[in-house]
Amino acid sequence: MNPPKPDSAPLQHQGLIEAPICSKDLFNDRTCVYIEHEGMLYALRATRAGKLILTK
């Protein structure tokens, strides 16, 4: 007897993934936003090349 196969439906169809946040909404005409997470401060920067860099 074979074990049951895991559900192959994408996670978003199972209601586990929320809608993405648009980076333009997040940055709001800035090149850097600061994020506090579990007592630590992080900087999320958008480069001219369109890349994102997250640093402590």
Side-chain angles (χ1 to χ4, degrees), residues 5-26:
K5 292 182 180 179
D7 188 358
S8 61
L11 290 176
Q12 66 191 61
H13 294 300
Q14 298 174 14
L16 299 177
I17 296 177
E18 294 183 21
I21 298 171
C22 180
S23 63
K24 289 182 181 182
D25 294 337
L26 182 64

Side-chain angles (χ1 to χ4, degrees), residues 13-47:
H13 294 300
Q14 298 174 14
L16 299 177
I17 296 177
E18 294 183 21
I21 298 171
C22 180
S23 63
K24 289 182 181 182
D25 294 337
L26 182 64
F27 283 98
N28 196 26
D29 294 325
R30 296 175 288 191
T31 57
C32 182
V33 294
Y34 294 95
I35 303 166
E36 186 274 324
H37 177 70
E38 296 185 0
M40 298 294 297
L41 188 62
Y42 295 83
L44 181 63
R45 299 180 194 282
T47 69

